[in-house]
Amino acid sequence: MFNTLKKTSLALLVASTALVQMSCNKDDDEEKRGNWFRKDLPNFGGSIRTNAVSFVIGSVGYIGTGYTTETVARVKDFWAYNAERQTWSQITPFPGSGRNSATAFVLKGKAYVGGGFDGVTGAADGGYKKDYYEYDPATNKWAAIADFGGGTRQFATSFVVNDRAYVGLGYNGSNYYQDFYEYNPTTDKWAEMATFKGGKRSGAMSFTIGTKAYVGFGDSNSQTAYKDMYSFDPAGNGGAGNWTRVDFAADFDQDKFPARSYGATFVIDGKAYVVGGKGRSDVWEYDPGANSWIERAPFPTQRGFAGSFVVGKIGYLGTGSPSGSGVGSDDFWGFDPSQAINTDDDL
């Protein structure tokens, strides 16, 4: 009798332990959900590079400019990716000087690219640029627009809300910035907006969900990485815009959430994905409705300073490097947040 009870108790204990383990494994799998894939995807169409700029117009993604170690030069070529055909094609080159660390945004079906660093240190601007150009995919032509209102800089960040673009932060060799400017394509004018409340920084990351923009992360002027984030309401503060710090949820363990800079962002189905950065490979999903951060499947290697865009419900990321210097990359990856990790897809 005693042996029977002992065996029964042991069996129940084993079953209970297995159930708990299965539950934990299921939670872990769900927490790291998301699949990075490159199987059947072509490499980036241009040369190996880092610090390129990227954007998407409709269903076509674009990556261009940057620094390439193949010819040891700052380049001005641009490439378009057709996600349906899975092909890269070269478009008209950027008309400004070859440069890295420029900034881009899209308004009403046209792209705008400018700023950055062209390496001509003997020039009056020290190599830091403020010129901007408009690209029209219907004509495959570029046209100069008004210079950036905040002056020269690289590693600025940008976002679009209600058909207006906002560009700010960054670095120009002598100063880190905390300003933001609004661009109106109808008047071709820049207007200074409310100062960013998070302080001066370079390599910040931004995204827009609905009518609200978010800016955060980046490096301070003392090279300390941030993990904070602020939302921006362009209608606030009498039309100058208003910045509000987005605090972490009370039950969120901030110690497990790393600071980062020079990473990439995707917005898919109303959620943002913060990808990698300088010396990082981890990926985090932000849900603005729940104000929650959840870790997802990491990028296969440390990667920052990359080009990225979203077509449909897939995020794409290519080029870049772990540190922003040294040898760049020409690999090209897709990210599906709805799928579980499939290691066969990284062939």
Side-chain angles (χ1 to χ4, degrees), residues 168-253:
L169 310 181
Y171 169 74
N172 77 344
S174 60
N175 192 27
Y176 284 75
Y177 290 96
Q178 58 186 348
D179 56 353
F180 262 91
Y181 286 77
E182 177 190 80
Y183 178 70
N184 184 337
T186 303
T187 62
D188 188 28
K189 293 184 181 297
W190 297 90
E192 188 170 9
M193 305 296 285
T195 301
F196 180 64
K197 292 182 178 179
K200 299 177 180 180
R201 64 184 71 188
S202 177
M205 301 158 70
S206 60
F207 54 87
T208 302
I209 299 178
T211 58
K212 186 173 288 187
Y214 299 83
V215 176
F217 310 100
D219 280 348
S220 72
N221 53 4
S222 62
Q223 297 298 300
T224 300
Y226 289 103
K227 63 169 71 177
D228 58 350
M229 189 168 70
Y230 294 78
S231 65
F232 179 75
D233 176 9
N237 195 21
N242 186 55
W243 294 97
T244 303
R245 184 183 173 95
V246 181
D247 293 322
F248 292 105
D251 59 348
F252 181 70
D253 187 354

Side-chain angles (χ1 to χ4, degrees), residues 102-115:
T103 307
F105 55 85
V106 173
L107 287 169
K108 298 181 178 180
K110 296 180 180 180
Y112 298 80
V113 178

